[in-house]
Amino acid sequence: MLDLAASLTPAERANSTEIDLGGAAFKARAREHLAAWAKRPPFYVFNNGPAQVIVGRYADVQEVFTDPARFSSEVPRAPGYEQHDKMLGRQFLTQMDGEKHARMRRLIMFGFTPKRLAQIEERIVELVDDMLDEIERGAREFDAMNTYAARLVVAALLTAMLNLEEADKQLLLDYQDMIPSLTALRPGETYTPSMIAMGDAVEALVRRVLDERRENPRADFLGDLVAARDHDDRFSDRELIDVVFGMFGATATTPRSASGMLHVLGRHPEQMRALVDDPTLIPEAVEECLRIAGNGYFTFARIATCDTEVGGTRILKGMVVRPSPQAANYDPDVFPDPMTFDILRKPRRIMTFGAGPHHCLGSGLGRMTLNVALKRFLARLPDARLADPDFEPAYGGATGELRMKSLPMLRH
């Protein structure tokens, strides 16, 4: 691991902040930090492994996202970079660039056809209504995170999208719960035996599920990937395993955004009531919720491929660059009065799903899931509200993620 910080001038080193980017203290004040990053030129962090450059202003984040020639997604597989590998050495779409990345996206898109998304949406509606049935049968006070938002991971994706059995779903949830430990590894720390065993168990599950799809084809997302053909091109066995493994690890992010959505609406009951009265406002409201209450403050890391600069900050070849889409959503030059929540704002070009060649393939599925979740929630529980109007969440999750621990709400 290169000591790139030593190559900076004293003035450049002064443009740094010592902060634990995944720690509880940071997450407790995350929105405040991100709002500050949105107005600050890129800066350095030296105490979280290899020297990192944090990028928060909208234009700067967009520059990093849209220039893979200077900012590669292929993080070195070397000591010191373990915290940036959530797949334990396997390679997903987010760790590829150029033609290899473009080819993989073309093949994966066979699973995101309008017909398949419509099928998934129909199933999500059924599963969401089942969850709301349980909430209505339960106590007046309920935890909207653990009885609804977090369960969307299972209902919307592991069930509706991937058609997995119950035991398989639990293994993948256990893997997702392990990811925070991966992103908390210190420089040079090795994967623990339990981490390696979990990765091997998930890969074994992927192999078994794919073998089942080959032997007994189904009209579902995984079946589409197995059958994907682009003329004479198709996934190799290793590619298909890595793609599905990576998707298992990535399924948690957008559904858990439902907790941020319900929290910010609960803090603005007059705006929640407006959506109950006029559900046609829900799509734009979801977009504003994603802008102001998204749960991902980092995407995957980039590596500078050359000496360069962004926003006036020098970036040396080999430095880890961390663009923050959530900070970009708070940039006052793009979103006036950015910390004010307004369902009528109609924000455009939010960074929640990234930009450029790595713009999230599942953004349409994510938006659809959140729209269904909010529409059905408000239709079934129109008088739902926060148990404490001033409730401030506690967050856990991986570095880069604000995973709400609970969200107490009342119904009726």
Side-chain angles (χ1 to χ4, degrees):
M1 182 173 63
L2 298 175
D3 183 15
L4 294 171
S7 301
L8 298 174
T9 68
E12 288 172 328
R13 288 183 60 84
N15 178 30
S16 66
T17 297
E18 185 168 328
I19 190 169
D20 181 353
L21 295 167
F26 172 84
K27 291 188 177 189
R29 299 175 53 201
R31 306 289 178 190
E32 180 182 336
H33 287 295
L34 298 172
W37 296 359
K39 297 180 285 187
R40 178 179 178 178
F43 62 95
Y44 307 105
V45 170
F46 301 127
N47 63 303
N48 274 241
Q52 299 185 52
V53 183
I54 308 302
V55 183
R57 295 185 302 193
Y58 190 98
D60 297 336
V61 170
Q62 186 172 46
E63 182 176 347
V64 173
F65 277 157
T66 57
D67 193 348
R70 286 192 295 152
F71 305 106
S72 172
S73 302
E74 299 184 17
V75 177
R77 306 294 175 87
Y81 296 92
E82 296 87 354
Q83 63 185 252
H84 302 296
D85 181 7
K86 299 178 183 179
M87 292 181 57
L88 299 147
R90 298 161 185 86
Q91 189 176 38
F92 185 46
L93 194 69
T94 55
Q95 299 166 312
M96 303 174 187
D97 288 310
E99 176 51 34
K100 183 177 183 180
H101 170 259
R103 170 182 167 268
M104 296 290 278
R105 284 182 73 98
R106 285 195 298 270
L107 289 169
I108 291 173
M109 284 304 295
F110 282 91
F112 286 102
T113 63
K115 179 180 179 180
R116 188 64 63 226
L117 289 176
Q119 178 194 54
I120 293 171
E121 180 176 14
E122 182 177 347
R123 184 68 175 125
I124 288 173
V125 171
E126 296 173 357
L127 294 165
V128 162
D129 277 339
D130 288 343
M131 285 189 282
L132 291 168
D133 286 344
E134 290 185 30
I135 290 173
E136 289 191 318
R137 287 194 297 266
R140 180 167 172 258
E141 181 170 336
F142 63 99
D143 182 350
M145 176 61 187
N146 293 301
T147 64
Y148 195 60
R151 290 181 64 191
L152 287 172
V153 178
V154 178
L157 300 178
L158 302 185
T159 300
M161 183 178 179
L162 303 176
N163 277 315
L164 298 178
E165 302 298 329
E166 292 302 319
D168 297 338
K169 296 173 194 175
Q170 187 56 54
L171 175 61
L172 297 179
L173 292 173
D174 291 343
Y175 167 55
Q176 290 169 351
D177 287 341
M178 185 192 71
I179 289 176
S181 299
L182 291 173
T183 64
L185 289 172
R186 308 306 297 174
E189 285 186 341
T190 57
Y191 304 125
T192 66
S194 62
M195 291 175 179
I196 295 170
M198 178 66 73
D200 290 345
V202 173
E203 177 163 333
L205 166 61
V206 172
R207 290 179 180 275
R208 175 170 57 78
V209 169
L210 291 175
D211 286 345
E212 290 171 355
R213 289 299 192 279
R214 292 187 182 101
E215 293 175 11
N216 301 291
R218 293 192 201 176
D220 63 8
F221 181 84
L222 289 179
D224 291 343
L225 293 187
V226 169
R229 300 288 188 279
D230 184 18
H231 299 290
D232 294 329
D233 192 18
R234 59 181 294 183
F235 288 117
S236 70
D237 285 348
R238 181 71 255 172
E239 288 172 339
L240 191 54
I241 290 167
D242 284 356
V243 162
V244 178
F245 189 108
M247 297 195 76
F248 284 168
T251 52
T253 304
T254 298
R256 285 197 171 102
S257 294
S259 59
M261 178 174 67
L262 292 176
H263 177 243
V264 72
L265 284 167
R267 292 295 298 267
H268 298 83
E270 74 290 348
Q271 298 195 54
M272 183 183 281
R273 173 50 57 180
L275 298 180
V276 172
D277 294 341
D278 185 359
T280 65
L281 299 174
I282 286 176
E284 293 290 357
V286 167
E287 206 70 3
E288 173 68 347
C289 290
L290 284 168
R291 184 195 69 80
I292 202 169
N295 70 336
Y297 58 92
F298 286 138
T299 61
F300 51 92
R302 268 67 167 188
I303 301 295
T305 63
C306 59
D307 290 351
T308 186
E309 66 87 26
V310 172
T313 298
R314 189 160 68 114
I315 300 175
L316 303 180
K317 181 179 179 180
M319 277 187 169
V320 176
V321 182
R322 303 300 301 269
S324 175
Q326 193 57 53
N329 285 342
Y330 296 159
D331 189 331
D333 290 339
V334 181
F335 305 104
D337 195 13
M339 305 312 290
T340 295
F341 176 66
D342 181 4
I343 61 170
L344 301 180
R345 180 190 291 269
K346 298 185 178 181
R348 295 292 178 263
R349 301 182 298 124
I350 65 171
M351 281 290 183
T352 306
F353 294 104
H358 280 283
H359 182 269
C360 179
L361 267 176
S363 60
L365 175 64
R367 285 184 167 98
M368 178 262 284
T369 300
L370 292 175
N371 271 272
V372 169
L374 183 57
K375 183 177 181 180
R376 299 305 301 148
F377 184 92
L378 295 179
R380 297 282 300 276
L381 305 172
D383 297 317
R385 63 186 186 277
L386 295 179
D388 174 2
D390 298 318
F391 175 75
E392 290 294 342
Y395 295 103
T399 299
E401 175 193 14
L402 295 173
R403 187 183 301 185
M404 198 177 294
K405 293 184 177 181
S406 67
L407 182 60
M409 298 190 76
L410 297 172
R411 59 183 181 85
H412 306 311

